[in-house]
Amino acid sequence: MELLAILLEAMSAAGLAALGAGVSAIAAGMGIGKIGAAALESMARQPESTGDIRAGMIVAAALVEGVALFAVIVCLLVVLG
């Protein structure tokens, strides 16, 4: 019976918003990991362009992190509101 109560609570708007916050945080981590891996591979292939690649990587990672933070805040507003 307790599992059924947990599942019913998860189906509410607050539960779905909390799930959305978790998914957006995980997706952002995966995206930043992919950006970092691609940047390191590019730096290994062309060491002379390390500065340009690093700058592009930081900008792309900041944009991904900004979108993820926005998604988490919207989900938390649904939970608290």
Side-chain angles (χ1 to χ4, degrees):
M1 285 300 217
E2 188 175 324
L3 179 62
L4 181 62
I6 293 171
L7 289 175
L8 287 175
E9 182 181 339
M11 295 302 288
S12 69
L16 290 176
L19 181 66
V23 168
S24 66
I26 290 170
M30 291 172 60
I32 292 173
K34 189 165 178 91
I35 290 169
L40 286 175
E41 184 178 342
S42 299
M43 288 179 204
R45 290 178 186 260
Q46 290 184 324
E48 66 274 3
S49 63
T50 299
D52 294 335
I53 294 170
R54 183 182 299 132
M57 178 190 70
I58 290 172
V59 169
L63 290 173
V64 169
E65 191 67 31
V67 169
L69 181 64
F70 182 71
V72 168
I73 288 174
V74 167
C75 291
L76 289 176
L77 285 174
V78 170
V79 168
L80 299 175

